[in-house]
């Protein structure tokens, strides 16, 4: 890879509709664009659109897409309580992290 090329970045993230609400676990290489799609309901009739999942509450970054995919699949299989604990460890107030990623 040329030193002037941007590093690959992949994000595993959780969006919800409210603290301890419905969860969606996703993966993307463009976090700002993907969360914006959730927030503006561009993904019509999707799970996130139906349940109004607009609040980004947790994110992890990876350089290796395969590691990110494994992490996403693992979290999707987790119990609900484990997902709540994951969010509350880094974001106990369930703040929407949107402004932190886009500004």
């Amino acid at each position: 890879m040329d030193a002037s090329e941007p590093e690959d970045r992949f994000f595993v993230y959780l969006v919800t509709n409210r603290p301890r609400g419905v969860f969606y676990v996703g993966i993307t290489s463009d976090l700002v664009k993907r969360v914006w799609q959730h927030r503006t309901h561009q993904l019509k009739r999707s799970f996130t659109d139906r349940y109004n999942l607009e609040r980004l509450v947790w994110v992890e970054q990876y350089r290796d897409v395969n590691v990110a995919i494994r992490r996403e699949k693992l979290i999707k299989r987790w119990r609900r309580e484990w997902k709540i604990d994951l969010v509350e460890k880094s974001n106990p107030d369930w703040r929407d992290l949107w402004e932190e990623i886009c500004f």
Side-chain angles (χ1 to χ4, degrees):
M1 177 167 89
D2 181 1
S4 64
E5 292 180 31
E7 293 181 17
D8 288 338
R9 296 184 311 169
F10 304 94
F11 302 91
V12 179
Y13 66 94
L14 277 147
V15 290
T16 188
N17 53 358
R18 60 185 168 79
R20 297 175 174 246
V22 177
F23 287 113
Y24 173 79
V25 181
I27 184 172
T28 184
S29 61
D30 188 340
L31 186 62
V32 171
K33 178 181 177 182
R34 187 70 168 134
V35 173
W36 179 251
Q37 289 173 330
H38 294 308
R39 293 175 72 84
T40 58
H41 298 267
Q42 291 180 16
L43 309 167
K44 297 296 180 196
R45 293 188 293 275
S46 67
F47 181 82
T48 59
D49 182 47
R50 283 194 311 271
Y51 289 95
N52 202 33
L53 306 181
E54 301 175 352
R55 183 187 298 202
L56 175 68
V57 292
W58 177 87
V59 63
E60 281 182 348
Q61 181 177 329
Y62 297 88
R63 291 188 67 186
D64 183 328
V65 68
N66 295 309
V67 174
I69 290 168
R70 283 194 300 273
R71 179 70 165 159
E72 178 205 25
K73 288 180 179 182
L74 176 68
I75 294 171
K76 283 185 175 197
R77 291 192 310 262
W78 280 9
R79 296 174 149 193
R80 175 177 177 71
E81 299 83 28
W82 298 353
K83 293 174 189 172
I84 290 170
D85 288 344
L86 180 68
V87 171
E88 291 184 344
K89 283 180 185 173
S90 62
N91 187 2
D93 297 326
W94 292 80
R95 289 176 294 104
D96 185 352
L97 304 176
W98 170 249
E99 289 190 11
E100 294 178 25
I101 67 162
C102 69
F103 298 109

